[in-house]
Each structure stands twice: as C-alpha cells, then as structure tokens.
C-alpha cells in the first residue's frame, strides 16, 4: 500500500514525503512501546501459571521489539519511490563506506551475538549471583548489548556481552548454591592448637547461618558427619601458627557477613580463654651497633 496515496492533494510532494515519514516513525515508536508493554504483562501472567525463564523471555521480547523498529524502517524506505531509489543507490555504492561502517559496528554486532549466545546456553540467568571482573553481584537484566549487574554495595555495572563471553565467571547460584567459606586465624606458638580448634568449631556451630550436618545433606548428600565444620593447620609462619576454619553456608550472599561475624566471635573467645593472636615480630639491627659488635669481637 502506497502511503502517499492517503496524503491530501493540497500538500506539496516534498511535504507529503516528510509527513509520511514522520507519521510512520511515530506509529512505529508507539507500536514498539505497546508490544513491549503487552509482552511484559503477558510474562507476569504466564509466570504465575508456569516456570518461565526470565533470561530467555527478555531476549525474545527485545528481538520482537527490534523487528518492529526494523519493519518501520523498511516501510519508510519502500513507501515512496524517491527514498527507494536513494536507498538502492546508497547500497549499490556502499563499497568502502560499508567496510568502514562494518568495522565501526564490530563491537555492537559482537555484543548482540554474545547476548543471544548467553540467553541460549545460559551460563547464568537473571537473578543469579556472580563473581566477574573481581566484582560480586546479582544479574538484574541481560540485554542485546549489555549484562546489567547490581553489586553487593549497590553499584550498577553494565558489562558488554562480548567481554562476558570471554571471561571466566563464578556462578554462585546455578545448580548448588551452597558455599564452603573459610576463616583464617593465626595463634602464637605458645598457644594450645587443640584449644584454639575447639573454640573455632564451637563458635561456628553456634552461628545461625552456618549449616549443620542435616542441612548440608540437602546440598551435599555424600558428605560424612563431622565434615560440615573443620579446622586445619595451614602454615607454620614466622610468628604464628595459621589455622583455617571451613564452614558451609546456604549461599554466597551471606558468606562474607558470616565470615566477619565468626572472626569477631573467635577473637572474643580467644581473649577470654587465653589463646594469643600474636603481633608480627621484627628484629631491627642498626649499622652502628653492628660495627661496634664486630670491633669488640675482633678485639
């Protein structure tokens, strides 16, 4: 259907072209917004009846909206002969300009392809907790260009999809969300290792966010009793015996806070029961004293 056939005769040819293009652009924009809202409303209703993956849904919704915009662009081009001829001439003579534009759009195309790949293979989903680029946060959205992450301190990261596709990602949510967290403490060589170990295990058992054996079996059915909490000597350091406490928590979102609270509780128990956490020891020898000592030895 020729859009120009609907334009009143009192308009000039140039005005008719401009008006038709303007109307198509406005209608395309409104139609895209309407379809986007309808798809969002459909997802809300459908998610109440069945398990719909928000990651795949979000990508499909954006692709449909992009098709609407592209269709509007085609209508603008092919609705009148002048724009059609101009477009054919531009495409026919693209040549070097097309190569330049293709190089400039390389990252954009890479992001789109990577976004489709992320939604298809799903190494993570919307709502998952990730560690990426040394940042820990929750995935809030996956678009055709960027993956949006809200970090633990409430910052918003927009990471290009092609960068994420090349990164090693720790997904704390997929499959098994439980986490084996560690707390390191150093004690003096004069302190009792067995006493320190018993205190660390006792404080871990009292913490409400540390899983007991029955809770751990839901995630790790092959674990043996006693393996849910353990303390190992990891190093005989220069001035301290280093111990490492291993505990299991339900997911990564509570692991850091749990570790901090355990350190505080262990420190208080060590102070109460005489287990020393030593300061670093340093021996400083002045050059003057060293020279005097050498002279005395020579004498």
């Amino acid at each position: 259907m020729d859009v120009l056939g609907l334009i009143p005769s009192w308009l000039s040819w140039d005005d008719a072209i401009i008006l038709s293009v303007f109307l198509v652009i406005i209608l395309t924009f409104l139609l895209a917004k309407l379809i986007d809202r309808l798809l969002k409303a459909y997802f809300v209703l459908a998610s109440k009846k069945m398990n719909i993956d928000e990651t795949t849904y979000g990508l499909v919704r954006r692709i449909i909206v992009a098709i609407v915009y592209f269709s509007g662009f085609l209508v603008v081009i092919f609705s009148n002969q002048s724009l059609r001829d101009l477009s054919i001439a531009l495409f026919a003579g693209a040549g070097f300009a097309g190569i330049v534009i293709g190089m400039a759009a390389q990252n954009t195309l890479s992001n789109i392809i990577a976004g489709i790949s992320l939604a298809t293979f799903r190494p993570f989903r919307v709502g998952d907790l990730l560690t990426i680029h040394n940042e820990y946060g929750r995935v809030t959205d996956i678009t055709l260009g960027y993956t949006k992450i809200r970090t633990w301190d409430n910052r918003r990261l927009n990471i290009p999809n092609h960068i994420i596709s090349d990164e090693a990602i720790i997904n704390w949510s997929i499959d098994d969300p439980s986490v084996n967290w560690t707390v390191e403490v150093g004690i003096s060589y004069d302190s009792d290792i067995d006493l320190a170990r018993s205190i660390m295990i006792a404080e871990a058992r009292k913490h409400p966010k540390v899983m007991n054996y029955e809770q751990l079996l839901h995630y790790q059915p092959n674990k043996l009793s006693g393996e849910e909490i353990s303390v190992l000597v990891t190093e005989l350091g220069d001035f301290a015996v280093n111990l490492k406490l291993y505990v299991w928590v339900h997911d990564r979102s509570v692991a850091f806070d749990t570790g901090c609270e355990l350190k505080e509780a262990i420190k208080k128990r060590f102070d109460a029961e005489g287990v020393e956490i030593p300061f670093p020891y340093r021996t400083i020898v002045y050059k003057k004293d060293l020279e005097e000592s050498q002279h005395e030895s020579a004498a």
Side-chain angles (χ1 to χ4, degrees):
M1 180 180 178
D2 191 355
V3 177
L4 294 179
L6 302 177
I7 303 299
S9 58
W10 51 269
L11 285 174
S12 67
W13 179 259
D14 291 340
D15 291 339
I17 293 176
I18 295 173
L19 182 58
S20 66
V21 170
F22 180 75
L23 288 176
V24 170
I25 291 175
I26 295 298
L27 290 175
T28 302
F29 180 80
L30 294 176
L31 182 61
K33 290 295 183 181
L34 177 61
I35 291 177
D36 188 44
R37 291 185 178 182
L38 290 175
L39 289 174
K40 287 181 179 178
Y42 171 76
F43 171 74
V44 173
L45 293 176
S47 61
K48 296 178 180 179
K49 300 179 180 179
M50 61 187 76
N51 185 20
I52 298 179
D53 184 8
E54 185 177 352
T55 304
T56 304
Y57 152 77
L59 179 65
V60 172
R61 178 173 59 83
R62 288 184 173 88
I63 290 177
I64 293 175
V65 173
I67 291 174
V68 173
Y69 281 116
F70 184 70
S71 300
F73 171 76
L74 293 180
V75 170
V76 170
I77 295 299
F78 291 100
S79 61
N80 61 78
Q81 186 67 38
S82 300
L83 290 177
R84 190 184 313 137
D85 294 341
L86 177 62
S87 301
I88 293 174
L90 289 175
F91 284 121
F96 178 74
I99 296 176
V100 173
I101 294 173
M103 294 289 290
Q106 183 178 2
N107 285 340
T108 301
L109 294 175
S110 298
N111 286 333
I112 293 174
I113 295 173
I116 295 174
S117 176
L118 290 174
T120 302
F121 297 105
R122 289 189 291 180
F124 55 84
R125 298 158 297 184
V126 173
D128 283 359
L129 294 168
L130 305 181
T131 296
I132 182 171
H133 274 310
N134 296 321
E135 295 282 0
Y136 168 72
R138 186 180 300 277
V139 179
T140 59
D141 198 5
I142 302 174
T143 70
L144 288 175
Y146 296 86
T147 294
K148 300 179 181 181
I149 297 176
R150 187 178 71 247
T151 64
W152 64 273
D153 54 352
N154 208 34
R155 288 178 292 121
R156 268 63 172 180
L157 296 181
N158 292 329
I159 305 177
N161 288 332
H162 79 275
I163 293 179
I164 290 182
S165 63
D166 294 333
E167 283 284 324
I169 302 170
I170 300 177
N171 190 333
W172 299 97
S173 301
I174 198 167
D175 192 22
D176 179 5
S178 61
V179 178
N180 190 212
W181 200 251
T182 60
V183 176
E184 296 187 53
V185 180
I187 63 174
S188 69
Y189 277 89
D190 295 331
S191 298
D192 188 339
I193 293 177
D194 292 330
L195 175 60
R197 178 184 285 111
S198 64
I199 290 173
M200 294 170 72
I201 292 176
E203 291 302 318
R205 292 189 188 281
K206 291 194 300 184
H207 198 284
K209 294 179 182 177
V210 174
M211 290 192 290
N212 56 37
Y213 180 63
E214 289 74 18
Q215 293 172 326
L216 182 60
L217 285 179
H218 291 290
Y219 300 100
Q220 305 284 338
N222 296 325
K223 288 292 182 181
L224 300 176
S225 179
E227 294 182 344
E228 70 276 12
I229 300 174
S230 62
V231 176
L232 300 177
V233 176
T234 58
E235 183 184 12
L236 300 177
D238 295 336
F239 55 87
V241 178
N242 294 321
L243 307 178
K244 184 175 288 189
L245 169 67
Y246 294 84
V247 297
W248 287 89
V249 293
H250 291 283
D251 60 69
R252 175 62 178 79
S253 63
V254 300
F256 181 78
D257 290 345
T258 300
C260 293
E261 291 165 1
L262 284 173
K263 287 179 182 178
E264 180 179 349
I266 290 170
K267 172 64 169 61
K268 292 178 178 178
R269 281 288 302 277
F270 278 5
D271 292 343
E273 303 196 26
V275 178
E276 180 186 1
I277 299 178
F279 294 102
Y281 295 107
R282 296 288 184 270
T283 300
I284 300 176
V285 179
Y286 292 97
K287 183 178 181 180
K288 178 182 177 182
D289 296 335
L290 183 61
E291 291 174 350
E292 292 179 354
S293 177
Q294 290 175 345
H295 289 316
E296 292 176 357
S297 298

